[in-house]
Amino acid sequence: MEPAPAAEQSLWIFGYGSLIWKPDFEFTSSKVGFIQGYSRKFWQGDTFHRGNERMPGRVVTLQEDHDACTWGVAYEVQGEHIKSSLQYLNIRESVLGGYTTKFVKFYPQDEGHNGPILALVYIATPQNPSYLGPASEEDIAAQIIVSSGCSGHNIEYLLQLADFMRFFCPDTEDKHLFQIEEALIAILPCFYSPNDPLAVLY
């Protein structure tokens, strides 16, 4: 894990998955925005939050992509909350999730902000044991449909992320995300009966 700059009293943390709607740590402010040079992919396996050992869920990580950008939310953490937030995220993202950290430039959506912000981000690399890698959007959707973990159903994770992009970044294309959502909606009736709560998500 990369250490935060030693003399800083403020730390920004960028979330592009579940941290968008469920940070669960104390923060002073938050901003919607993006980082450059990465695309968001459902290539990381999850055997705790959105799946289990028998049926791993699919959650997002970042793939280096020179021409891409990934939208999300950055949180400003200050003072005494920095240590406790990093301790919490180390368990949630690194120990249970298989993610490592690095610093990236975050560009706020708010045009009034002066320049990019240095932010900490969690990335699951191919070297971690839970990494699943590429698959077709249809195969990813099928895996998401049958996966559930301690934080809830994998379907909820996908739809929360799609809703964020749709409502907060309406002019931004996330082809991978929306194609998986579209595939999931198409095949959902094959997995659940019309009376099942999961079948009436849309």
Side-chain angles (χ1 to χ4, degrees):
M1 177 176 176
E2 295 185 19
E8 293 294 325
Q9 295 301 310
S10 176
L11 174 68
W12 286 85
I13 299 169
F14 177 67
Y16 57 93
S18 61
L19 287 180
I20 289 174
W21 63 88
K22 190 178 179 176
D24 279 353
F25 55 83
E26 293 288 337
F27 60 91
T28 304
S29 63
S30 64
K31 295 179 180 292
V32 173
F34 63 91
I35 62 172
Q36 295 179 327
Y38 294 92
S39 57
R40 175 171 35 216
K41 302 292 185 182
F42 276 82
W43 290 0
Q44 175 68 355
D46 188 338
T47 60
F48 183 82
H49 295 292
R50 300 291 177 172
N52 54 53
E53 294 289 345
R54 188 172 61 89
M55 286 184 162
R58 282 261 184 178
V59 292
V60 291
T61 184
L62 295 177
Q63 175 79 4
E64 289 191 15
D65 186 343
H66 180 72
D67 296 324
C69 67
T70 294
W71 284 78
V73 177
Y75 301 93
E76 183 183 19
V77 183
Q78 294 185 335
E80 62 184 15
H81 296 301
I82 295 176
K83 182 178 179 180
S84 60
S85 297
L86 290 177
Q87 288 175 337
Y88 165 72
L89 288 171
N90 182 56
I91 298 296
R92 170 175 165 173
E93 303 295 334
S94 301
V95 176
L96 297 176
Y99 291 72
T100 59
T101 58
K102 69 180 302 181
F103 283 95
V104 294
K105 290 181 179 179
F106 168 77
Y107 296 83
Q109 188 181 50
D110 179 9
E111 295 181 357
H113 193 87
N114 296 323
I117 299 169
L118 191 65
L120 186 73
V121 66
Y122 288 79
I123 301 175
T125 67
Q127 287 70 42
N128 85 84
S130 296
Y131 187 80
L132 295 177
S136 70
E137 280 75 17
E138 292 77 15
D139 286 345
I140 293 174
Q143 187 170 352
I144 287 173
I145 283 177
V146 297
S147 299
S148 180
C150 295
S151 296
H153 204 288
N154 208 175
I155 293 176
E156 178 199 18
Y157 179 97
L158 169 67
L159 298 183
Q160 289 268 29
L161 190 51
D163 282 348
F164 164 76
M165 289 300 297
R166 193 170 285 116
F167 297 133
F168 290 93
C169 318
D171 299 323
T172 303
E173 182 180 3
D174 194 324
K175 186 176 178 181
H176 178 71
L177 170 64
F178 289 122
Q179 284 184 344
I180 294 171
E181 182 191 37
E182 184 179 349
L184 183 142
I185 294 169
I187 64 177
L188 194 61
C190 300
F191 288 84
Y192 297 99
S193 69
N195 296 324
D196 194 297
L198 290 174
V200 293
L201 287 170
Y202 275 79

